[in-house]
Amino acid sequence: MVADSIDRLRAGIRDVPNFPKHGIVFKDITPILVDAQLFRESIEVFLERCRTLPIDKVVGIDARGFLFGSAVAYALGVGFVPIRKKGKLPFKTASAAYSLEYGDAEMEMHVDSIEPGEKIVLIDDLLATGGTSAAAAALIQKAGGDLLEAQFLIELEFLHGREKLDPTPVVTFLKF
Ligand code: AMP
């Protein structure tokens, strides 16, 4: 069932060459979102995995991690925590800096969004170099959260991003 979904989801991803800059092949997930059946199946592949874990909260990464993470949290009946790019969250935040190809960036999380000991799953659409999700993992751990694993719909394996998340277990559903 989920195996069939994986094939359909893979076919639903649109490669957009040279976006947002020359040399990057952007994996566009909007054809999945716009298709009612495919969107449901994308949430189901996360849920099949998540139902095996004792999750207290789902954390999603700005911005496409919100689309999948919040739907998964809703279906599990647990809370959802957004980790956002610097300057977007209104209340008191903790922040974690990370390196991009050119320069640095920062992710932020509200200081009261995770209680020490809570069991967390981190969700984003795509794992590339792992810098973004490693910063998110650092924020979860700084808050005392127990990060059970990080899950991504798509993994760009040639970038070895999962090494940056080590020792956090990484689960991905579509590998390129
Ligand atoms: P990274 O920190 O390199 O793992 O980048 C991960 C973040 O950038 C994720 O939030 C992705 O949505 C986005 N991203 C990076 N590379 C791509 C790509 N080729 N296609 C789509 N999104 C990407």
Side-chain angles (χ1 to χ4, degrees):
M1 176 67 182
V2 165
D4 292 346
S5 292
I6 296 295
D7 292 341
R8 284 191 289 271
L9 289 166
R10 180 179 285 274
I13 289 165
R14 173 165 56 200
D15 282 358
V16 183
N18 302 315
F19 182 89
K21 56 187 175 192
H22 189 76
I24 304 282
V25 178
F26 193 84
K27 297 285 186 196
D28 179 16
I29 49 116
T30 64
I32 291 173
L33 301 178
V34 83
D35 181 308
Q37 177 64 23
L38 270 187
F39 184 37
R40 182 176 287 275
E41 289 185 79
S42 71
I43 301 307
E44 283 298 328
V45 297
F46 282 104
L47 281 175
E48 189 190 60
R49 173 72 195 163
C50 285
R51 287 195 185 105
T52 68
L53 302 168
I55 299 169
D56 294 313
K57 280 176 183 160
V58 172
V59 174
I61 299 178
D62 194 348
R64 288 179 295 277
F66 297 169
L67 304 170
F68 298 111
S70 63
V72 168
Y74 176 85
L76 292 175
V78 303
F80 175 77
V81 178
I83 285 187
R84 300 211 62 185
K85 289 163 191 151
K86 187 181 169 63
K88 300 284 188 186
L89 287 171
F91 185 59
K92 199 173 166 205
T93 57
S95 71
Y98 64 104
S99 311
L100 292 172
E101 204 176 346
Y102 299 103
D104 294 322
E106 235 171 297
M107 299 302 285
E108 293 182 334
M109 187 179 81
H110 275 155
V111 290
D112 61 352
S113 52
I114 292 175
E115 302 294 329
E118 281 187 321
K119 297 194 186 321
I120 306 293
V121 162
L122 177 64
I123 289 184
D124 201 1
D125 68 326
L126 183 143
L127 176 64
T129 67
T132 312
S133 45
L139 286 173
I140 293 163
Q141 282 154 349
K142 199 153 102 183
D146 177 6
L147 180 54
L148 301 178
E149 67 184 36
Q151 301 177 3
F152 305 84
L153 185 64
I154 303 164
E155 177 178 8
L156 303 183
E157 288 184 297
F158 57 94
L159 294 173
H160 306 291
R162 60 173 62 229
E163 288 167 17
K164 265 202 197 117
L165 279 157
D166 191 56
T168 300
V170 173
V171 172
T172 64
F173 304 108
L174 304 170
K175 297 173 204 305
F176 291 88

